[in-house]
């Protein structure tokens, strides 16, 4: 198949590009490469590499594609607070623009990378796709508005699907250390401390970054009528954890490390435990393959092997999207 992938130079996209190429697809990538300095591993190239803003794409760019996988976005909560208007332009207007031109170009399927963070502060825990949305950030609101805007375009010839991903962990050639598991582990390995910014009680659904990439592939192949215009939580009921459980797991491996409650965020309003039954019933053959312990082992090996992750890299924000973006925001002017 011919797949148009946005965000292929990102944390998840780097894995997804690799899997698509392993399956033999032709891949057109579109990415501004905002985080080129966060590269920490080998990247492969798509068949055609468009280094441009998704908002400047035109229908001709998508001609002949069987699927668009749209991952490019300003990709986390603090970034949304840095510049809410920019988050709106890129994440909402950019996504709806891309969906509109995809439909115009005759692309039949559009897989949108949404997020479980749209459930925000769950009124009750165990949130399924019908649960009320309670976003706690400009980022989460942008994902909701993008889903709504794209849904207006759904038609018999154009099937959007909204993959509401759990929070990722795991190694990637385009590493991120602003994700909770990765951050806690990198901190232990570079500073000898487990630093919790909240009191550790909030729930988070977690998923290995490569399992998210595998989910996109599964939805590429799923029968149209099964997934047409559907929102689906991507993760596993077994992988909802409280942040302090992650800290305990890491502490069990590094018993000499101190656990420090920094109190930086005080009360963390983002608290959501999510159900993933719809994913299991829709695609029973799709199972997550990489549990949390696997991800921690994999990263511990990778961060310690040459060249090992340094304290300067960790503290300097090289792998923190917000820190890098602050220096590159002019690219969007
Ligand atoms: N990582 C997670 O835990 C997680 C969880 C849920 C949802 N998501 C969503 O999945 C997607 C990918 O996440 P990620 O962690 O790989 O993020 P990332 O920040 O690592 O990658 C995003 C990529 O998009 C590119 N990009 C940003 N704006 C662009 C634009 N206007 N035009 C072209 N390229 C642009 C960046 O250069 C970057 O390579 C995002 O939409 C994110 O919101 C991520």
């Amino acid at each position: 198949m011919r797949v148009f992938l946005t965000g292929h130079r990102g944390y998840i996209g780097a894995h997804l590009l690799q899997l698509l190429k392993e399956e033999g697809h032709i891949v057109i990538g579109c990415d501004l490469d905002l985080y080129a300095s966060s590269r920490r591993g080998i990247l492969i190239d798509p068949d055609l590499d468009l280094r441009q803003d998704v908002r400047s794409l035109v229908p001709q760019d998508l001609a002949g594609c069987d699927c668009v996988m749209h991952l490019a976005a300003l990709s986390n909560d603090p970034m949304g607070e840095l510049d809410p208007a920019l988050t709106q332009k890129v994440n909402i207007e950019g996504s709806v623009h891309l969906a509109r031109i995809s439909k115009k170009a005759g692309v039949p399927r559009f897989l949108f990378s949404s997020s479980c963070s749209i459930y925000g502060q769950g009124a009750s825990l165990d949130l399924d796709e019908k649960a009320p949305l309670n976003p706690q950030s400009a980022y989460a609101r942008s994902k909701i508005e993008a889903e709504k805007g794209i849904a207006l375009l759904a038609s018999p010839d154009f099937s959007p699907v909204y993959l509401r991903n759990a929070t990722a962990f795991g190694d990637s050639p385009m590493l991120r250390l602003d994700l909770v598991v990765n951050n806690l582990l990198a901190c232990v390995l570079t500073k000898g401390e487990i630093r919790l910014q909240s009191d550790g009680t909030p729930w988070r659904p977690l998923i290995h970054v490569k399992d998210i990439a595998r989910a996109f592939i599964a939805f590429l192949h799923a029968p149209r009528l099964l997934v047409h215009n559907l929102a689906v939580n991507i993760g596993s009921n077994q992988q909802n954890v409280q942040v302090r459980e992650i800290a305990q797991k890491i502490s069990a491996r590094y018993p000499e490390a101190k656990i420090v409650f920094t109190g930086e965020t005080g009360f963390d309003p983002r608290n959501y435990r999510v159900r993933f039954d719809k994913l299991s019933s829709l695609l029973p053959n799709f199972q997550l393959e990489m549990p949390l312990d696997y991800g921690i082992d994999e990263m511990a090996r990778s961060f310690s092997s040459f060249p090992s992750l340094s304290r300067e890299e960790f503290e300097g924000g090289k792998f923190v999207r917000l820190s890098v973006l602050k220096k590159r925001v002019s690219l969007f002017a």
Side-chain angles (χ1 to χ4, degrees):
M1 285 199 233
R2 194 176 172 88
V3 177
F4 195 96
L5 171 63
T6 75
H8 67 286
R9 287 290 185 243
Y11 174 68
I12 301 171
H15 280 293
L16 183 48
L17 172 59
Q18 173 93 37
L19 292 186
L20 285 166
K21 289 310 300 169
E22 280 168 17
E23 274 205 355
H25 303 291
I26 295 170
V27 184
I28 304 169
C30 173
D31 196 309
L32 275 170
D33 210 4
L34 293 171
Y35 311 112
S37 59
S38 311
R39 182 172 176 164
R40 197 175 187 275
I42 295 164
L43 289 174
I44 60 163
D45 289 321
D47 297 281
L48 181 63
D49 201 343
L50 304 176
R51 187 67 50 86
Q52 69 187 79
D53 195 312
V54 291
R55 293 172 295 165
S56 66
L57 291 167
V58 294
Q60 287 82 338
D61 292 317
L62 304 153
C65 288
D66 301 289
C67 181
V68 170
M69 299 183 175
H70 179 38
L71 277 68
L74 301 186
S75 61
N76 70 2
D77 294 306
M79 240 151 64
E81 303 314 313
L82 170 73
D83 189 341
L86 183 61
T87 294
Q88 164 155 354
K89 279 190 202 140
V90 173
N91 290 9
I92 308 175
E93 293 162 25
S95 299
V96 176
H97 165 75
L98 183 61
R100 196 174 292 123
I101 61 170
S102 300
K103 181 172 175 176
K104 205 164 184 182
V107 181
R109 189 164 300 194
F110 187 92
L111 305 184
F112 176 64
S113 196
S114 187
S115 168
C116 285
S117 69
I118 63 178
Y119 300 116
Q121 190 177 14
S124 65
L125 291 175
D126 293 326
L127 303 149
D128 67 11
E129 290 81 353
K130 293 200 187 93
L133 305 178
N134 190 6
Q136 299 295 309
S137 64
Y139 166 74
R141 284 189 290 280
S142 78
K143 291 292 179 184
I144 297 173
E145 292 309 314
E147 282 193 13
K148 282 190 198 157
I150 298 167
L152 294 175
L153 299 165
S155 72
D157 300 327
F158 182 69
S159 294
V161 190
Y162 319 98
L163 283 78
R164 293 181 178 169
N165 301 304
T167 300
F169 62 86
D171 203 12
S172 165
M174 295 301 286
L175 184 62
R176 285 183 66 172
L177 294 181
D178 49 8
L179 301 167
V180 61
V181 179
N182 302 9
N183 179 274
L184 290 173
L185 186 66
C187 189
V188 166
L189 291 171
T190 58
K191 296 177 71 170
E193 285 177 353
I194 301 170
R195 291 175 76 83
L196 288 176
Q197 293 172 358
S198 70
D199 64 1
T201 55
W203 286 90
R204 287 283 188 291
L206 298 175
I207 182 169
H208 193 282
V209 54
K210 214 165 166 179
D211 277 327
I212 297 184
R214 291 178 54 252
F216 273 86
I217 304 260
F219 279 88
L220 170 69
H221 296 301
R224 186 187 84 83
L225 286 177
L226 208 60
V227 299
H228 174 75
N229 203 23
L230 215 60
V232 187
N233 296 335
I234 306 296
S236 147
N237 292 347
Q238 285 71 42
Q239 238 166 227
N240 281 290
V241 302
Q242 285 180 290
V243 174
R244 65 181 172 211
E245 285 178 60
I246 307 169
Q248 281 155 2
K249 261 186 195 294
I250 294 176
S251 173
R253 278 158 203 261
Y254 303 98
E256 69 288 357
K258 270 195 305 185
I259 299 191
V260 182
F261 289 89
T262 67
E264 272 161 66
T265 55
F267 170 69
D268 185 347
R270 298 166 307 154
N271 182 26
Y272 45 102
R273 192 169 72 198
V274 178
R275 293 210 64 91
F276 298 93
D277 307 80
K278 190 170 176 180
L279 175 62
S280 324
S281 63
L282 272 177
L283 304 178
N285 292 331
F286 177 79
Q287 306 284 337
L288 302 196
E289 287 184 351
M290 281 150 260
L292 183 53
D293 285 316
Y294 169 88
I296 292 175
D297 277 345
E298 170 205 44
M299 282 189 285
R301 269 196 312 277
S302 163
F303 295 174
S304 311
S305 63
F306 185 79
S308 61
L309 185 70
S310 69
R311 183 166 176 157
E312 291 70 43
E313 283 176 318
F314 177 65
E315 291 185 328
K318 181 175 174 187
F319 302 108
V320 172
R321 295 297 184 249
L322 178 64
S323 309
V324 178
L325 191 73
K326 274 182 183 163
K327 296 177 199 141
R328 308 213 66 198
V329 85
S330 59
L331 272 180
F332 289 102

